[in-house]
Amino acid sequence: MELWTFDIPAQSPRDFPPLSTNHRSSSANGTLELSGVTFFIIQGLTNLDEKKIILFSILLLIYIMILGGNSIIIYVALTDPKLNSPLYFFLCNLSFVDMVYTTTTIPNMLSGLLTDILTISVLGCFLQMYFFIQLSVTGRAILTVMAYDRYVAICTPLQYNSIMTRPVRLLLVAGAWGFGAVCTLPATVIAFERPYCGPNVVKHAWCDPSSVRRLVCGDTSLDNIVSLSFAMVALLTTGILILSSYILIGVSISRMVVAQRLKAFRTCAAHLTVVSISYAAASFVYISYRVGNFSPEVRIIVSVLYSALTPFLNPMIYSLRNKELRESIRRTLGRFRPAAVLPTKEISTLS
């Protein structure tokens, strides 16, 4: 969730083109009327100069790895019959959310690094804002569902298959998406209905809610209250449920013998690692923004890297920690290897 604001110094008028969609026109009686903003200018990282290419290359590599890693997980989870447990169904959904989540922002920032001025329509800006927050909340909700799945698997293993049926799995995933929409829609609708009469420069790398809110021509107290309230609901609800699941798992593990404890720990190690990194990174970034003395460009870069951190690490963590998934990926890659070496064998036979 985006809970931070960025204090970026105002740019001089020559840094951006005239706001042709935000001009003052003279009426018949000599008064001036404001026309509404029809597009926003994404300021992005305007002061990096030659460093833009370096940042562009890094972000592009990270984005390609996010798409590639999560695509592999989705493919093997859907095609390998051995990965038919609820865990891989939820992991497949989490990988899909991570891919779409990063796609809402990183391509936009990559485009901004290659152009001097990046514009976006008002509707496009609010759609980007909505999906960025909604997918962020949905991702945490799916992590919460996966924590419940681990709780059922460890604490009630004999009833696991009867509890985690396909209708239940679909209901849990639908609930995660619905929870993300409920926590995001009110604040986005309120922001969309606000008047934007100028300026129209968003001082961020994308349509960040707090940055867009500063462009409202009017009081935004209600916007701040609604946004903060639903952000707290999203964070606290998912955090408390995940914590409760692992407390119950810990109590159950404490009653097991050593061999069973190790097996139970391996079952939830990958998920626990992802959750810990996600919440630790969010806490670190939030605290550093409040107490650190960083430049606006550094804050934007940190925000982008934070949003890409979990989607980037998820495929590696689950591949390293989960033996079944690792073997499935190896089998999948092995299917394409014989086709690659076949021409060599044929050539040697012919010779």
Side-chain angles (χ1 to χ4, degrees):
M1 293 293 295
E2 291 289 317
L3 299 178
W4 314 292
T5 58
F6 305 97
D7 299 319
I8 299 178
Q11 303 294 316
S12 60
R14 65 176 179 274
D15 292 333
F16 301 103
L19 304 182
S20 58
T21 61
N22 185 30
H23 63 276
R24 293 177 180 269
S25 58
S26 298
S27 60
N29 56 10
T31 60
L32 295 177
E33 298 178 353
L34 281 173
S35 61
V37 169
T38 59
F39 69 90
F40 291 107
I41 297 174
I42 306 298
Q43 177 174 297
L45 301 168
T46 57
N47 299 324
L48 288 184
D49 299 327
E50 68 278 356
K51 296 178 182 179
K52 284 185 177 181
I53 300 300
I54 299 175
L55 181 59
F56 174 85
S57 302
I58 295 173
L59 281 179
L60 181 60
L61 179 61
I62 291 175
Y63 184 56
I64 291 174
M65 294 182 69
I66 289 173
L67 294 183
N70 286 285
S71 296
I72 290 174
I73 288 180
I74 293 174
Y75 179 77
V76 298
L78 294 177
T79 59
D80 193 334
K82 293 185 178 181
L83 302 182
N84 58 356
S85 69
L87 170 64
Y88 300 107
F89 174 78
F90 297 133
L91 181 58
C92 181
N93 281 271
L94 180 63
S95 295
F96 175 75
V97 170
D98 286 343
M99 290 174 61
V100 182
Y101 172 65
T102 52
T103 300
T104 60
T105 55
I106 293 183
N108 191 76
M109 188 171 185
L110 291 174
S111 177
L113 291 171
L114 295 179
T115 59
D116 294 329
I117 298 173
L118 179 64
T119 61
I120 186 171
S121 66
V122 172
L123 179 60
C125 180
F126 284 99
L127 285 175
Q128 183 187 61
M129 180 191 301
Y130 170 79
F131 283 111
F132 178 72
I133 304 175
Q134 194 265 345
L135 291 166
S136 175
V137 178
T138 301
R140 293 188 182 276
I142 292 179
L143 286 175
T144 306
V145 170
M146 295 176 73
Y148 172 71
D149 174 75
R150 294 301 82 199
Y151 159 74
V152 176
I154 294 174
C155 298
T156 58
L158 298 180
Q159 291 80 34
Y160 179 70
N161 291 328
S162 61
I163 294 176
M164 301 302 294
T165 59
R166 182 169 180 79
V168 171
R169 283 181 269 167
L170 294 174
L171 184 62
L172 289 172
V173 170
W177 281 90
F179 180 74
V182 169
C183 290
T184 307
L185 198 57
T188 307
V189 171
I190 292 175
F192 182 73
E193 294 296 327
R194 293 298 186 190
Y196 297 88
C197 51
N200 66 342
V201 179
V202 179
K203 297 178 180 179
H204 204 278
W206 61 80
C207 287
D208 169 67
S210 59
S211 301
V212 174
R213 194 177 303 132
R214 295 182 179 184
L215 306 179
V216 173
C217 300
D219 184 24
T220 58
S221 299
L222 178 62
D223 304 60
N224 294 327
I225 293 173
V226 172
S227 179
L228 181 60
S229 298
F230 279 101
M232 295 303 294
V233 168
L235 288 174
L236 291 178
T237 301
T238 55
I240 291 174
L241 289 176
I242 291 174
L243 182 61
S244 300
S245 296
Y246 275 105
I247 289 176
L248 295 175
I249 289 173
V251 172
S252 180
I253 289 178
S254 65
R255 301 169 182 170
M256 299 177 180
V257 297
V258 176
Q260 290 178 325
R261 289 180 183 177
L262 293 176
K263 183 178 180 181
F265 179 76
R266 286 195 297 267
T267 301
C268 57
H271 178 263
L272 185 59
T273 303
V274 170
V275 170
S276 300
I277 292 175
S278 176
Y279 279 89
S283 301
F284 172 78
V285 172
Y286 181 79
I287 294 173
S288 65
Y289 274 32
R290 288 294 181 265
V291 301
N293 186 22
F294 300 107
S295 66
E297 288 77 15
V298 171
R299 291 186 175 186
I300 292 177
I301 293 173
V302 170
S303 179
V304 173
L305 294 179
Y306 161 70
S307 65
L309 179 63
T310 304
F312 175 74
L313 293 177
N314 279 355
M316 291 187 289
I317 292 173
Y318 278 101
S319 298
L320 293 174
R321 293 280 187 176
N322 191 296
K323 183 179 179 180
E324 288 183 346
L325 181 61
R326 188 167 61 248
E327 292 178 351
S328 177
I329 294 175
R330 189 180 295 113
R331 286 195 300 269
T332 301
L333 296 177
R335 289 188 219 138
F336 300 98
R337 193 170 301 149
V341 301
L342 183 60
T344 305
K345 290 183 178 180
E346 289 179 351
I347 291 174
S348 61
T349 303
L350 291 175
S351 60

